[in-house]
Amino acid sequence: KKDKEKPVYVFGIAASFNDTIVYYTEVQLLDSVLLDKDGFLPDREVYSYQLKNHIEYDLKKSNYTCMIYFSENKTKLGKEADKLKARYRKDQGLSLQAIEPSAFTFKKPEE
């Protein structure tokens, strides 16, 4: 059946024009998520806000823009994450900081 829930992997990255630190999460598993008919992750903005709230309230950092990347293929998403982090590493004025899964994980919104 085509409309079966299946694992979807997600990672987030957060950057600010007012700070030199770029935060990122590891690739995480969102279990039992059903992509919409166009192949998009439903409630993408909710995941983005989860990361933004973590950065604002737990890390006490404001004015960050959070982006979420997702795929059903963990390897492909991992390569995308590595490519994105490499792009930020090239900018000598920025430093990358991982957000450990023990500190933050994406949670599927309640339906």
Side-chain angles (χ1 to χ4, degrees), residues 4-62:
K4 219 167 66 173
E5 290 182 345
K6 52 178 114 173
V8 172
Y9 298 92
V10 63
F11 82 91
I13 197 151
S16 171
F17 291 112
N18 303 329
D19 201 339
T20 58
I21 300 171
V22 176
Y23 294 97
Y24 68 93
T25 69
E26 299 300 321
V27 173
Q28 299 177 11
L29 171 66
L30 287 178
D31 201 22
S32 304
V33 172
L34 183 61
L35 297 182
D36 68 18
K37 64 178 173 31
D38 298 318
F40 284 106
L41 179 66
D43 302 315
R44 288 183 307 285
E45 69 284 352
V46 174
Y47 297 106
S48 208
Y49 279 117
Q50 287 175 10
L51 181 56
K52 187 170 182 63
N53 286 338
H54 172 72
I55 287 171
E56 285 185 359
Y57 297 109
D58 298 332
L59 303 180
K60 308 283 188 245
K61 299 282 191 166
S62 57

